[in-house]
Amino acid sequence: MADNNKIIAAVLASGSGSNAENILRHVQTHGGRVEIPLVICNKPEAPIIARAESLSVPCRVIERTGTKKEQETAIIAALDEYHVEWIFLAGFMAILSPDFVAAYDGRIINIHPSLLPQFPGKDGYGDAFRANVPVSGVTLHYVDAGLDTGPIIAQKTFPRLEADTLETFRARGMQLEYELYREFIDILVQRAAA
Ligand code: GAR
């Protein structure tokens, strides 16, 4: 019998994939009826590919070779193949089109390395560090058609320490990114169990 309460998600990532790995590990150990059967990556050399494979999760590489529309059509076809309804962006460095966002309305989640609405864009830690903010943070939010403008789900803050370099500053933030995604997954697990 079909399990209608199951929540099936995919992770979309472009780079190192440490958030993706954190998400996959958490779902594999504490996921309940939340499942992640697929990772999609848009960069053929990205370390996330090997990370996903080491956790036995298939990683489909879907590069942008033509138009954004063609790439997104291929992404949707892969998502449909695995019956995916939720999307967790984890360092996915591409802007999704309004049509794509509308197709998964309210079910695309993104982690961003700043306290939005401060420092949107692709270098949140660098921008916050260079701006010398005394406190920075990370944001988990729903994706809408804007750039890092969707409704905020949760934020965590961390202080900038006097001895911080950009690397130590980023490393502290990354730990909070992992926590935010794990906590969100825990909420979905409860929802799927209800
Ligand atoms: C993370 O810091 C994530 O918040 C950021 O990319 C990094 C990916 O690291 N995302 C963005 O800046 C999105 N605008 P990872 O590949 O090790 O998870």
Side-chain angles (χ1 to χ4, degrees):
M1 206 169 66
D3 183 347
N4 292 329
N5 282 348
K6 251 194 325 207
I7 290 177
I8 304 180
V11 174
L12 271 57
S14 304
S16 129
S18 71
N19 269 287
E21 177 168 349
N22 167 64
I23 292 167
L24 294 175
R25 285 190 186 281
H26 193 61
V27 164
Q28 287 182 350
T29 52
H30 296 83
R33 281 193 280 185
V34 176
E35 293 177 10
I36 301 187
L38 178 68
V39 171
I40 293 177
C41 174
N42 58 349
K43 301 273 182 240
E45 309 297 336
I48 174 56
I49 300 167
R51 286 198 199 235
E53 277 163 10
S54 74
L55 291 166
S56 305
V57 179
C59 182
R60 199 69 70 83
V61 177
I62 303 178
E63 274 183 276
R64 180 165 171 182
T65 50
T67 64
K68 183 187 273 288
K69 177 93 189 152
E70 285 164 348
Q71 185 192 25
E72 289 187 344
T73 301
I75 292 175
I76 291 172
L79 297 174
D80 286 350
E81 217 178 290
Y82 287 86
H83 308 288
V84 168
E85 292 185 333
W86 286 75
I87 296 172
F88 299 156
L89 302 181
F92 187 67
M93 297 313 220
I95 296 169
L96 298 167
S97 73
D99 282 350
F100 186 99
V101 171
Y104 295 89
D105 187 31
R107 286 173 286 122
I108 308 179
I109 311 300
N110 183 43
I111 187 78
H112 184 80
S114 76
L115 280 182
L116 290 173
Q118 282 191 303
F119 311 117
K122 57 182 167 34
D123 191 16
Y125 288 128
D127 291 342
F129 188 78
R130 284 184 292 273
N132 267 311
V133 290
V135 174
S136 194
V138 298
T139 303
L140 193 75
H141 66 98
Y142 292 104
V143 172
D144 68 8
L147 176 64
D148 301 324
T149 51
I152 291 172
I153 299 167
Q155 295 182 307
K156 285 184 190 264
T157 60
F158 63 94
R160 179 185 174 135
L161 305 180
E162 216 171 302
D164 263 343
T165 61
L166 177 55
E167 285 63 41
T168 58
F169 182 79
R170 176 186 284 115
R172 204 145 0 95
M174 292 299 293
Q175 296 307 316
L176 300 180
E177 294 190 31
Y178 306 152
E179 283 179 23
L180 274 184
Y181 249 131
R182 287 197 298 264
E183 288 168 12
F184 181 73
I185 288 164
D186 290 344
I187 291 168
L188 285 186
V189 168
Q190 303 259 332
R191 193 194 291 188

